[in-house]
C-alpha cells in the first residue's frame, strides 16, 4: 500500500479542517495505506516564517513530504484563499517536491462562496511543485463538520457521501499513478 502524508494546514487547535483531514486519513488507513498526519501548526513559527530549512522540525517535515507517495492537503479558507500557515510551509518546499505524487486538496469554510479557492488558489501551487496528479478536491462547509461532540465528523449524510466519493477518486488515482500499490 502507499504512504500518504496528511498535511493539516489550520492554525487552530480545535479545527474542523484538521478533523476532516484526520477523517480522510482514517479512511485511507482502514484500507491499508500507511497514513501519517502532520499538523503544520506544531512547526516552529519563526523557522517557518524565515524559511529555515535547517531547523530540525522543518527538515523532518520536508523529508516527510519527500518520502510520501501521496499527500492530502487540508486547509481552511480565509479571505478566499488557503491558510497562510499552509502557504509558508509550501513555500519552503523545494521545486519539484511533489513530483510523482498524487495530491488530494481539501478545504473547509463558512460559505460556498469560497469553493473556488481549491481550484484558483491551491491547485496552481500544487501543480507548480510538480504534483503528478492533483485529484478533484473537496470543499466542505464548516456547518457540515462536527469536531467537538465525539460523534461522526461528518454527521450530514450528503457531506459524508461527497467526501467518500472524493476519497475514492483519490485512491483510484493513486492506484493508476503508482500501480505497485494497486
Amino acid at each position: 500500500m502507499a504512504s500518504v502524508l496528511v498535511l493539516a494546514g489550520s492554525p487552530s487547535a480545535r479545527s474542523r479542517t484538521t478533523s476532516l483531514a484526520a477523517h480522510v486519513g482514517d479512511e485511507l488507513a482502514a484500507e491499508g495505506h500507511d497514513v501519517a498526519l502532520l499538523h503544520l501548526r506544531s512547526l516552529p513559527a519563526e523557522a517557518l516564517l524565515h524559511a529555515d530549512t535547517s531547523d530540525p522540525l522543518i527538515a523532518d517535515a520536508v523529508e516527510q513530504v519527500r518520502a510520501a507517495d501521496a499527500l492530502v492537503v487540508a486547509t481552511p479558507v480565509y479571505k478566499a484563499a488557503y491558510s497562510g500557515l499552509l502557504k509558508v510551509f509550501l513555500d519552503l518546499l523545494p521545486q519539484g517536491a511533489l513530483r510523482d505524487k498524487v495530491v488530494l486538496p481539501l478545504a473547509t469554510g463558512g460559505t460556498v462562496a469560497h469553493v473556488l479557492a481549491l481550484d484558483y488558489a491551491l491547485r496552481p501551487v500544487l501543480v507548480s511543485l510538480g504534483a503528478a496528479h492533483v485529484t478533484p478536491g473537496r470543499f466542505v462547509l464548516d456547518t457540515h463538520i462536527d469536531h467537538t461532540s465525539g460523534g461522526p465528523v461528518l454527521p450530514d449524510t450528503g457531506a459524508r457521501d461527497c467526501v467518500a466519493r472524493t476519497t475514492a477518486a483519490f485512491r483510484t488515482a493513486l492506484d493508476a499513478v503508482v500501480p505497485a500499490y494497486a
Side-chain angles (χ1 to χ4, degrees):
M1 288 289 154
S3 64
V4 180
L5 179 63
V6 179
L7 296 178
S10 175
S12 175
R14 294 174 42 92
S15 167
R16 288 176 178 88
T17 303
T18 301
S19 294
L20 176 64
H23 170 78
V24 170
D26 290 345
E27 293 293 314
L28 294 166
E31 294 188 358
H33 293 286
D34 180 21
V35 178
L37 177 62
L38 175 59
H39 297 271
L40 297 181
R41 67 181 300 280
S42 69
L43 297 174
E46 186 169 343
L48 275 172
L49 292 174
H50 290 113
D52 182 3
T53 55
S54 67
D55 179 277
L57 293 174
I58 299 295
D60 179 63
V62 171
E63 176 57 24
Q64 287 181 58
V65 169
R66 190 205 62 73
D69 297 312
L71 277 83
V72 174
V73 179
T75 182
V77 175
Y78 298 127
K79 296 181 177 40
Y82 57 97
S83 75
L85 176 60
L86 180 59
K87 173 70 170 142
V88 295
F89 181 73
L90 293 176
D91 282 350
L92 56 80
L93 293 176
Q95 196 62 36
L98 302 184
R99 185 171 296 119
D100 300 326
K101 298 183 190 317
V102 179
V103 181
L104 168 59
L106 298 173
T108 62
T111 173
V112 294
H114 294 306
V115 72
L116 295 177
L118 282 171
D119 287 331
Y120 290 105
L122 185 55
R123 180 177 299 276
V125 174
L126 299 173
V127 170
S128 77
L129 287 168
H133 186 75
V134 180
T135 63
R138 177 61 56 192
F139 176 87
V140 180
L141 283 170
D142 289 346
T143 56
H144 292 166
I145 302 169
D146 180 358
H147 66 299
T148 59
S149 74
V153 171
L154 296 167
D156 178 81
T157 304
R160 188 171 47 252
D161 291 347
C162 287
V163 170
R165 285 192 305 274
T166 300
T167 305
F170 173 71
R171 285 190 307 270
T172 299
L174 181 57
D175 293 345
V177 172
V178 190
Y181 299 109

